[in-house]
Amino acid sequence: MLCGDGEVEPNMDQVSQLALEVCKEDVPALMIQKLPNLGWEARKDLVHCWSILLKQKVDSRYCSVEYIENHFEFLDFLVVCYDNKEIALNCGLMLRECIKFPTLAKYILESASFELFFKFVELPNFDVASDAFSTFKDLLTKHCTVVAEYLTAHYDEFFDLYEKLVTSSNYVTRRQSLKLLSEFLLEPPSSHIMKRYILEVRYLKVMMTLLKDSSKNIQIAAFHIFKVFVANPSKPREVKMILAKNREKLLELLLNLSAGKGVEDEQFEEEKELIIKEIDRQSRLSNRDP
């Protein structure tokens, strides 16, 4: 009824009526609660139905989304299911469908279960950890204004946890979290968060350490955040002092850093040159100070 049979398209009036009845009879609750009891094929079908029902409008209203707004605990249940590798990937797909809607994404960000993602993205099962990171990324990039509001209200606790990801012993975690950090920090609604972040010596030191990483990819990802600390026209005194004190080591690291070939490499080299000049300038100014 929801998808058609490959030859006949679904009847949209019937689909709308079905969506209304599904919500009226609490079927989404059953879909979530009984998911662990279903076989692989049945779970795949259920996730497909879930996706269609969420997107289904009835009289300009997303009735399935409204249903979940009245039962937010189902979102917590789906997040916790990352601990069950049998259904983790199914629940991840269902969560990402939910996150497309700002009210549902906002709830997950502000819920206690959001912190679990910092554990789930480093689970030993690679497929589950990768899926958890995809959901984590969607939460932090799909709705920029919602994310900016969340980071404003929870700045300290979020970046305390995030620092553990960018300094993880796991290469994939370090690389993905650095790339993601660039994405959500550099979005215009989060510009005030970025301005606060680049004032903190603690995070400057993290990026300087990552410039020495054994992986070139990590070094380049760290550079794209490090450069914002250096280019900041309102650098606090502590940041200036660290840049001046570590001038020789930083210049050696930067001079040996190369992005590769092509247009992007040209831009990278230009940015690198500007950053080197600014570090030099800070060093000279520092030497003049009594």
Side-chain angles (χ1 to χ4, degrees):
M1 283 181 73
L2 288 173
C3 314
D5 60 7
E7 294 179 8
V8 180
E9 289 295 309
N11 180 313
M12 295 318 292
D13 288 337
Q14 285 185 348
V15 172
S16 295
Q17 188 61 36
L18 179 61
L20 280 173
E21 291 299 322
V22 158
C23 294
K24 185 179 169 186
E25 299 298 328
D26 285 332
V27 175
L30 277 176
M31 293 170 82
I32 290 171
Q33 289 161 6
K34 300 298 180 185
L35 186 67
N37 303 346
L38 300 175
W40 188 81
E41 280 294 338
R43 289 202 302 267
K44 199 167 77 168
D45 289 339
L46 185 146
V47 171
H48 191 43
C49 291
W50 177 269
S51 171
I52 294 169
L53 286 168
L54 277 179
K55 294 169 190 166
Q56 185 58 43
K57 273 187 175 181
V58 181
D59 298 330
S60 77
R61 290 168 44 232
Y62 291 102
C63 57
S64 298
V65 174
E66 288 180 3
Y67 178 88
I68 297 171
E69 287 172 351
N70 291 316
H71 299 84
F72 277 135
E73 67 275 10
F74 296 150
L75 295 174
D76 294 312
F77 179 84
L78 288 173
V79 172
V80 171
C81 282
Y82 270 119
D83 252 339
N84 180 345
K85 65 181 179 183
E86 294 299 317
I87 58 170
L89 303 186
N90 304 114
C91 292
L93 283 166
M94 293 166 77
L95 273 172
R96 287 193 291 281
E97 288 298 329
C98 292
I99 289 164
K100 290 175 182 176
F101 299 91
T103 53
L104 305 187
K106 181 180 170 71
Y107 172 78
I108 300 171
L109 281 170
E110 294 179 348
S111 72
S113 58
F114 176 64
E115 282 193 20
L116 293 172
F117 279 101
F118 292 90
K119 179 186 86 167
F120 293 150
V121 299
E122 295 209 85
L123 285 169
N125 183 304
F126 180 77
D127 290 336
V128 175
S130 297
D131 195 276
F133 198 91
S134 294
T135 306
F136 185 60
K137 180 179 178 180
D138 279 4
L139 279 166
L140 291 169
T141 55
K142 284 286 183 190
H143 309 286
C144 299
T145 305
V146 169
V147 172
E149 288 171 1
Y150 164 75
L151 292 175
T152 302
H154 303 275
Y155 178 90
D156 289 325
E157 53 263 50
F158 176 82
F159 283 107
D160 278 351
L161 290 166
Y162 207 91
E163 183 180 350
K164 292 171 186 171
L165 295 185
V166 296
T167 56
S168 168
S169 59
N170 184 308
Y171 165 75
V172 175
T173 302
R174 286 202 312 283
R175 185 176 178 186
Q176 287 184 323
S177 56
L178 268 174
K179 189 169 182 289
L180 178 57
L181 181 62
S182 291
E183 285 183 43
F184 70 78
L185 268 187
L186 300 177
E187 286 290 339
S190 295
S191 58
H192 64 291
I193 302 294
M194 183 193 70
K195 286 174 184 173
R196 182 174 172 183
Y197 186 84
I198 61 174
L199 295 177
E200 301 208 38
V201 168
R202 166 186 174 182
Y203 300 129
L204 170 63
K205 287 179 177 177
V206 169
M207 293 307 145
M208 286 168 60
T209 301
L210 290 170
L211 284 173
K212 298 186 289 184
D213 197 275
S214 58
S215 161
K216 181 181 168 182
N217 288 321
I218 301 266
Q219 291 175 357
I220 290 169
F223 171 78
H224 287 303
I225 300 170
F226 171 75
K227 71 186 181 188
V228 188
F229 282 90
V230 180
N232 177 18
S234 306
K235 287 186 281 293
R237 186 168 181 272
E238 293 87 347
V239 168
K240 292 177 181 177
M241 285 173 63
I242 285 175
L243 293 175
K245 184 180 175 183
N246 293 276
R247 173 189 172 275
E248 287 184 21
K249 289 179 184 174
L250 285 169
L251 295 195
E252 184 183 347
L253 284 168
L254 293 173
L255 288 168
N256 290 325
L257 191 59
S258 168
K261 294 179 180 178
V263 178
E264 284 186 12
D265 183 45
E266 288 179 21
Q267 184 184 341
F268 180 82
E269 290 299 326
E270 287 173 13
E271 288 178 348
K272 196 173 79 171
E273 191 178 337
L274 288 171
I275 295 306
I276 288 171
K277 284 180 180 176
E278 177 58 21
I279 293 170
D280 257 340
R281 191 179 78 86
Q282 286 302 328
S283 181
R284 288 196 306 273
L285 289 173
S286 175
N287 289 335
R288 287 180 201 167
D289 289 340

